[in-house]
Amino acid sequence: MNDPGIRFESFGLSNPGKVRELNEDRLLMAPRSGLWLVADGMGGHDAGEVASSCIVEHLATIGVASSAPDLRARFEDRIGRANAQIWSIAQSRGGTTIGSTVAALLTFERQFACIWIGDSRVYLVRGGQITQLSHDHTEVQELLDRGVITPAEARVWPRRNVITRAVGAEEEVAVDIELGRIQPGDVFVVNSDGLTAHASEAEIRDAVISDEPEAACRKLVEMVLERGGTDNVTVIVVRCQEASVFAEDGRIFAPRAGAGIANGG
């Protein structure tokens, strides 16, 4: 449930990129539930696709929560179920590692929660500034946090894509959460690492400030493809505004609240 005084306009786009034949990314947008999510599967062959699809299928049942804590509880319950199913699939295949990252934005009234596992990200653009709300679960991020390497070294580190946490990779899963309050004009970006492999945070910020969500998504994916598109790329842009359009009977009318979604070929 969202505050009727806030209007959410969102769009999502996914593309396999220029190198990989299979798109193992999945996205889910459920504005009426207050949920936008990206999952980036891993495991080789069709395993990554199985993991990310499993997550989306479970989260699609989240429904409409009664409170912000209820929404988070519903989310974690379904992530737990997805984790158990992916783990079971992996064991049936001889114990191979199958998993998926998750980055999600949850909103209830004027509260938001950023929830993540792995290296897919959630950004907040507010007042012309971009902030990464999530914190990558990767080997290279751990080295950065410990001061072992510099940001410049991290950008070219050989194992920079090795993640340390994923849904389905272990029998139990733990999520990280960042909470906050929504302000009119906020723009959230939820994306797989295929975006940040080719686009800087400044470029992401500029795209979502200058364009509506659909145009921003298309601009960012096109930027990735023009620069080689070495991985699957998925991006969701969510813009939050004061509702200012009213129906004749006085009810708040939120055009495009159902959001758009596209899969690039």
Side-chain angles (χ1 to χ4, degrees):
M1 177 181 175
N2 283 310
D3 186 335
I6 290 286
R7 179 166 67 95
F8 295 87
E9 183 179 2
S10 59
F11 192 84
L13 186 62
S14 187
N15 190 287
K18 292 286 191 178
V19 175
R20 302 190 179 188
E21 293 183 4
L22 183 66
N23 191 350
E24 295 183 320
D25 286 2
R26 293 292 182 271
L27 62 84
L28 173 65
M29 297 193 297
R32 298 188 190 286
S33 298
L35 171 64
W36 293 263
L37 173 148
V38 168
D40 179 359
M42 63 177 195
H45 303 294
D46 66 342
E49 182 181 18
V50 168
S52 56
S53 295
C54 178
I55 289 167
V56 167
E57 288 166 5
H58 280 280
L59 266 298
T61 70
I62 198 167
V64 177
S66 60
S67 65
D70 179 41
L71 181 58
R72 295 196 298 273
R74 288 169 180 244
F75 183 94
E76 292 187 38
D77 170 72
R78 284 152 179 81
I79 282 291
R81 295 183 193 183
N83 188 81
Q85 184 175 344
I86 297 165
W87 175 261
S88 177
I89 293 170
Q91 301 317 299
S92 71
R93 297 186 180 185
T96 185
T97 299
I98 301 174
S100 176
T101 70
V102 166
L105 169 68
L106 280 65
T107 64
F108 187 91
E109 296 180 347
R110 298 199 179 212
Q111 303 171 70
F112 76 80
C114 159
I115 303 182
W116 73 97
I117 306 156
D119 62 354
S120 293
R121 294 179 177 178
V122 181
Y123 288 99
L124 169 62
V125 178
R126 173 182 288 173
Q129 302 296 317
I130 185 168
T131 303
Q132 182 181 335
L133 299 178
S134 56
H135 194 71
D136 295 350
H137 297 135
T138 60
E139 284 189 5
V140 74
Q141 186 64 58
E142 291 181 357
L143 292 172
L144 278 169
D145 293 344
R146 286 157 42 200
V148 175
I149 60 174
T150 66
E153 291 172 325
R155 285 191 287 272
V156 295
W157 196 256
R159 290 171 58 85
R160 62 187 177 277
N161 294 324
V162 176
I163 64 174
T164 56
R165 202 187 301 181
V167 181
E170 297 181 357
E171 194 167 4
E172 300 293 332
V173 65
V175 302
D176 280 352
I177 303 177
E178 181 76 18
L179 304 177
R181 298 281 299 178
I182 297 168
Q183 296 182 14
D186 283 351
V187 182
F188 293 92
V189 181
V190 187
N191 63 273
S192 63
D193 66 336
L195 174 64
T196 46
H198 296 284
S200 69
E201 291 185 353
E203 289 171 324
I204 295 170
R205 177 201 63 205
D206 292 348
V208 303
I209 287 176
S210 63
D211 293 302
E212 296 299 312
E214 179 175 354
C217 286
R218 296 193 184 281
K219 178 183 289 185
L220 289 169
V221 170
E222 186 60 32
M223 183 185 299
V224 167
L225 298 178
E226 289 175 351
R227 296 175 181 179
T230 55
D231 197 357
N232 305 151
V233 55
T234 301
V235 58
I236 296 173
V237 175
V238 183
R239 177 170 290 178
C240 314
Q241 303 177 59
E242 291 281 4
S244 58
V245 182
F246 294 83
E248 291 183 356
D249 63 0
R251 290 178 299 125
I252 292 175
F253 174 60
R256 296 181 64 94
I261 180 170
N263 286 288

